[in-house]
Amino acid sequence: MVDADLSAYFDTIPHPELMKSLARRVVDRRMLHLIKMWLDAPVEETDERGRKKRTTVNRDTRRGTPQGSPISPLLSNLYMRRFILGWKRAGLEERLGARIVNYADDLVICCEGRNADKALAAMRRMMDQLKLTVNEEKTRACRIPEETFDFLGYTFGRQYSPKTGRAYIGSRPSKKSIGRVIEAIREQTERRTLLLDATQVVERMNRTLNGWANYFCLGPVSKAYRAIDTYATARLRRWLCKKHRRSSGGQKRYPDNYLYEHLGLVCLPMRTQSLPWAKA
């Protein structure tokens, strides 16, 4: 398979080609004009000193969709559809047994046999025709199951059943995804939050933990859940000690039961009881 990555996809979508794709679907000229104005609109940013600065990079280069709006991913998917349709019309899907799986600019190409190198070369040619740039450092042909690849926050590759030791192709939360939620928990329990009430901190942590677990609930997630839960309880316990100026005895004063039952902290390992496929 091909693990593909595009360089600054949202910032490099060419406006003329994008508007042609839109014009095939939208007949209202006023709507098309409004979208064109939105694409050319200046972007206002505030620097570290609080000064506002406007840039017109998109208008000057005639490329890119300003991010932060629901229409931005819609337009990005619309332009990516050019690549997907072109791939099928060129007969590459049938000839190479190569199927594209994508979400916006995140994409992989699943190939039959040893056609990954041919699919990768064809993908490079088509992206060049679409005026998009392939990130060569992050794009590669990946051999499954010998290798693994990350896609949409999951790591795909060979897994082993802890019960039977049997190998199978599956997914698990990627290290990068675990690192992001841990970083979020760290920021929510920093010293600058000591003025907040404990229930407020726990509510913020729970929103983060529940949101993460709602997405990462496929495959063997128990190990990731336990690691995140261990970190979350340790950080909250440390935060409570600092807030109440306790230099030691945190484990005895604030045991896990206190964090879960009294403060209401989410216990991620308990969630796997309702996920029959996640007990591995």
Side-chain angles (χ1 to χ4, degrees):
M1 55 82 61
V2 176
D3 182 10
D5 185 80
L6 301 178
S7 298
Y9 173 65
F10 285 85
D11 297 330
T12 57
I13 297 176
H15 290 178
E17 288 79 2
L18 175 61
M19 292 305 300
K20 286 181 182 178
S21 296
L22 276 169
R24 294 192 185 102
R25 296 163 174 81
V26 180
V27 296
D28 190 335
R29 293 183 178 180
R30 291 170 296 183
M31 178 59 69
L32 291 172
H33 179 66
L34 179 62
I35 295 175
K36 185 64 171 65
M37 290 177 61
W38 180 80
L39 289 173
D40 292 338
V43 177
E44 186 175 280
E45 297 176 313
T46 304
D47 60 19
E48 297 177 353
R49 297 182 179 180
R51 296 176 300 184
K52 293 183 179 180
K53 180 181 179 181
R54 287 191 175 188
T55 58
T56 57
V57 176
N58 292 349
R59 184 178 63 192
D60 298 339
T61 62
R62 302 183 72 189
R63 285 175 173 267
T65 61
Q67 299 185 50
S69 168
I71 197 174
S72 184
L74 176 63
L75 295 179
S76 69
N77 276 315
L78 179 62
Y79 193 69
M80 182 59 68
R81 181 173 164 79
R82 280 193 165 203
F83 168 65
I84 297 172
L85 290 179
W87 187 268
K88 293 179 179 179
R89 289 173 180 172
L92 294 168
E93 181 175 285
E94 184 176 352
R95 188 167 69 250
L96 301 178
R99 293 181 176 272
I100 298 171
V101 181
N102 82 295
Y103 184 82
D105 60 327
D106 292 326
L107 66 99
V108 295
I109 306 175
C110 303
C111 310
E112 294 180 358
R114 297 184 176 276
N115 291 327
D117 292 331
K118 295 179 181 179
L120 178 56
M123 186 268 292
R124 287 192 178 110
R125 289 194 300 269
M126 292 188 66
M127 288 301 178
D128 186 60
Q129 294 173 359
L130 292 170
K131 300 181 181 180
L132 299 174
T133 304
V134 176
N135 188 335
E136 297 295 346
E137 293 183 359
K138 296 182 179 180
T139 299
R140 64 191 176 106
C142 181
R143 309 295 178 184
I144 301 296
E146 292 81 4
E147 300 176 83
T148 63
F149 68 95
D150 290 352
F151 183 58
L152 300 180
Y154 282 91
T155 295
F156 293 84
R158 179 182 287 154
Q159 312 286 342
Y160 294 93
S161 171
K163 295 181 179 179
T164 65
R166 181 180 61 87
Y168 65 95
I169 304 299
S171 65
R172 65 178 185 272
S174 68
K175 292 182 179 179
K176 197 172 185 179
S177 300
I178 296 173
R180 284 174 179 168
V181 71
I182 283 178
E183 176 61 20
I185 294 299
R186 186 193 67 78
E187 291 180 356
Q188 291 167 356
T189 53
E190 284 183 337
R191 184 180 293 273
R192 59 185 175 83
T193 65
L194 290 177
L195 293 177
L196 297 176
D197 188 73
T199 56
Q200 292 177 284
V201 173
V202 171
E203 285 177 1
R204 293 181 178 182
M205 294 175 66
N206 283 347
R207 282 196 295 269
T208 299
L209 293 170
N210 281 325
W212 191 90
N214 285 339
Y215 180 78
F216 293 100
C217 60
L218 302 176
V221 298
S222 296
K223 186 176 180 180
Y225 280 15
R226 288 194 297 269
I228 295 169
D229 184 76
T230 299
Y231 182 81
T233 54
R235 287 292 301 187
L236 181 57
R237 188 175 292 114
R238 181 182 178 186
W239 182 90
L240 288 168
C241 287
K242 288 184 177 180
K243 181 175 180 63
H244 299 291
R245 299 181 180 179
R246 305 290 182 181
S247 59
S248 61
Q251 183 72 44
K252 184 178 294 187
R253 185 177 295 274
Y254 307 111
D256 288 350
N257 288 340
Y258 176 82
L259 304 181
Y260 297 139
E261 298 174 10
H262 183 75
L263 294 180
L265 180 68
V266 169
C267 180
L268 286 186
M270 293 294 293
R271 289 177 61 107
T272 60
Q273 295 181 3
S274 60
L275 304 175
W277 59 84
K279 294 181 180 179

